[in-house]
Amino acid sequence: MGKYGAECDSDTDTGGSGAKRTDRLGNENGKGNRFAAMAKGFLGRNLLTILTVVGVVAGSITGVLLRNFTGGKWSDRDTMYLAFPGEIFLRMLKALIIPLLMSSVIHAIGSLDLSLSKKIAIRSILYYTATTICAVILGMILVVVIRPGVGGTPWTGDKKEEIRRDVLTQDTLLDLIRNVFPPNLVQACVAQSQTFLIKPSNSPTNYSAPKPLEEWKFEERYENTTNVLGLVTFSIIFGIALGKLGERAKVLLDFFEAISEAMMIITSWVIWISPLGVYFLVAAKVLEIDSFADLVGRLGLYFVTVLLGLTLHGFGTLSVLYFIATRTLPFGVIAQLSQVLVTAFGTASSSATMPITIQTMDKLGLDPRVTRFVIPIGATINMDGTALYEAVAAIFIAQLRNLPLTFGKTVAVCVTATAASIGAAGIPQAGLVTMVMVLDTVGLPSEDVINIIAVDWLLDRFRTTINVMCDCLGAKLVDVLSVGELGEPITAADRVNAEPQELVELKHDSRM
Ligand code: ASP
């Protein structure tokens, strides 16, 4: 009992009414002070998160107000001006991705002994696989039960040719494997392989073209997107090699550790721009939308199906898996992820959120060797939200087109949706691009993605949030399972963020 409580007890004993009044006042003052102190502490600890949430909400409101009160649709140029501060924020985060990702993975793997890296890798991969399969199955069950597309009409507008992408599922899968093995690391930082099909001249443009796609000529091109998958693979292999070198590699491991920590320091600066960044990104995005009317009707039902799936997966399936593995519920951890989740929502990019994800996991006291293994790899290949969405969207379009789904096709959709989520880059609406592969499995043409485009920008934000949340819970789960094997952790947070007396608390908290 505190100071004020003790005063209260002694005053009550005197029995005088004046004394009682003083007591009541003192007690109320005491409660008020304590409440004020608690509120101040809460605000202090969560100021950035609160500001970022305010940024998202205020950005949406600003977007809606600007749409309605500035007379008509904004031009692309004006929208670009509005998005500009957000674009700068995104650029800052993106600049951190390659140095942070490579140095973190190399140092994390190089500083563990091989058998331990193997254990962590197996745990992580089991987690990624289990959660992605659960997400796809959940999506399939929901879309088959809710049937959002049954009775709807597919898009018959004239934009189809603009959307059309001629690709073969086998090419997409082979590109995925090609990108795992980049021939040139410098090139991998700026480009990745993509197979292009060359349309035979004077072939009709509709998808019932006489020459099947398999007979078209093809060529391998390099697209201007970082090959994150290739960089992660190289970093893992390089880390293992450094681990094998032992003492002789120490200087290199220290070098990569220093780079990784320097990136984390820069992240802790950039993160303060996130409220403003997401404010402008969200406001500009709301301005770009053609119409909100899409959110009613069949497309609205599809939207609700995906959203329901993401919520059930994020708070149901993941919690159950987490509980089975650790015997604790994850809600306490999820509550501390708010900054990461709001940033994922605001940027719609798991890769851009990665520096903030790693920083938050450091603050939660996880062993940095686990965080720096699970988070970068997870941000690249583990996308549960995307996998669930790919399955729901493909079946939704099949329902719109009244296509019967055999058991074989259902299984094929599950497999390709998983592959499509692995292949999707951690950037905005990457899932829409790999969707072509899933549509192909159901026997639908690529331009049918037009049926879901209107709401994709918003769904993308929700699925990115779940993608990132799944990585964070994975890191925590692997950390809990690896306690005792890793030895005493000296976290990057210890060195970068914490004062000496906080280090003890951090270490203590992390093992609770
Ligand atoms: N935007 C998602 C991410 O970065 C990928 C997607 O589903 O489009 O995680």
Side-chain angles (χ1 to χ4, degrees), residues 344 347-353 378-379 382-387 389-390 420-421 424-434 456 459-461 463-468 471:
T347 59
S349 166
S350 330
S351 296
T353 312
N382 183 39
M383 297 194 184
D384 292 9
T386 306
Y389 139 87
E390 302 262 359
S421 73
I427 55 173
Q429 295 191 298
L432 197 63
V433 179
T434 53
D456 199 68
L459 275 183
D460 185 24
R461 284 159 201 269
R463 63 184 190 249
T464 309
T465 308
I466 293 299
N467 289 346
V468 172
D471 296 338

Side-chain angles (χ1 to χ4, degrees), residues 362 489-499 502-503 506-507:
D362 279 352
I490 307 158
T491 67
D494 297 343
R495 282 188 222 128
V496 176
N497 298 319
E499 297 297 325
E502 289 172 10
L503 295 184
L506 256 175
K507 246 175 222 170

